[in-house]
């Protein structure tokens, strides 16, 4: 029901925008479509990879590696995978939901999402060129450690 309300609200506001300034609204819609076209190939590839992984890896394996019973080892595995993976946020959250449904633990997924969003192993060279080595490694290291704090807080709150 909430989703339907949001769609209706978006449509009403789009109509209001179109009435107020047709040219700007058309330009905004063209830009939005272009952004969608740019994101779509990455999104499709990631969905295919996730689908193959979830089909190939049984829920038992997911549960064993990053399930509730995996403890700190599972959290570390999830954190490392999240830190080295470069996935946009709009893919990360559906992926996390699929992993949770496949048997992953809540704290393990929390640390995975946190490192995925905050730690960038793949992007370190670019970050070093802008911020320098010290700042880059300090930021990534602190973000990695803070991801475990986030996971612990979520684990305590949602138990």
């Amino acid at each position: 029901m909430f989703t339907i309300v949001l769609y209706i609200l978006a449509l009403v506001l789009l109509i209001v925008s179109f009435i107020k300034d047709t040219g700007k609204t058309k330009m905004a819609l063209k830009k939005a479509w272009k952004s969608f076209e740019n994101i779509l190939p990455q999104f499709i590839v990631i969905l295919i990879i996730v689908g193959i992984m979830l089909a190939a890896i049984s829920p038992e394996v997911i549960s064993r590696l990053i399930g509730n019973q995996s403890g700190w080892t599972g959290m570390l595995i999830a954190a490392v995978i999240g830190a080295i993976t470069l996935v946009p946020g709009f893919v990360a959250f559906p992926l996390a939901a699929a992993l949770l449904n496949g048997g992953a633990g809540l704290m393990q997924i929390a640390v995975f999402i946190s490192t995925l969003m905050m730690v960038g192993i793949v992007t370190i060279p670019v970050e070093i060129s802008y911020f320098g080595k010290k700042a880059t490694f300090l930021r990534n290291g602190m973000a990695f450690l803070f991801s475990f704090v986030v996971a612990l807080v979520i684990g305590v709150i949602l138990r």
Side-chain angles (χ1 to χ4, degrees), residues 4-159:
I4 293 170
V5 171
L6 285 179
Y7 280 128
I8 292 170
L9 180 64
L11 184 62
V12 168
L13 291 174
L14 179 65
I15 292 168
V16 168
S17 175
F18 197 78
I19 291 169
K20 187 170 181 175
D21 192 338
T22 306
K24 282 185 179 180
T25 304
K26 284 182 180 179
M27 186 176 67
L29 289 172
K30 285 179 185 177
K31 284 184 178 183
W33 182 257
K34 202 66 165 156
S35 293
F36 175 72
E37 285 179 334
N38 290 337
I39 290 172
L40 191 60
Q42 293 174 338
F43 187 65
I44 290 173
V45 168
I46 290 170
L47 285 178
I48 290 170
I49 291 170
V50 169
I52 291 171
M53 282 178 28
L54 290 174
I57 301 173
S58 70
E60 293 80 26
V61 172
I62 293 172
S63 184
R64 188 169 28 93
L65 290 175
I66 58 172
N68 283 328
Q69 307 306 324
S70 66
W72 286 98
T73 305
M75 287 176 64
L76 187 60
I77 290 169
V80 170
I81 292 171
I84 61 174
T85 306
L86 186 60
V87 177
F90 65 87
V91 175
F93 294 104
L95 170 61
L99 288 170
L100 279 171
N101 291 336
L106 198 57
M107 288 175 43
Q108 288 76 5
I109 292 301
V111 77
F112 170 72
I113 290 293
S114 295
T115 56
L116 190 67
M117 295 291 113
M118 295 191 303
V119 180
I121 300 296
V122 176
T123 58
I124 279 181
V126 175
E127 196 172 336
I128 287 173
S129 69
Y130 282 97
F131 302 116
K133 283 184 181 180
K134 183 178 179 182
T136 297
F137 288 114
L138 184 64
R139 189 201 68 75
N140 278 289
M142 290 176 67
F144 190 81
L145 294 174
F146 185 70
S147 295
F148 286 91
V149 173
V150 168
L152 290 171
V153 168
I154 287 178
V156 168
I157 290 174
L158 297 179
R159 276 190 194 209

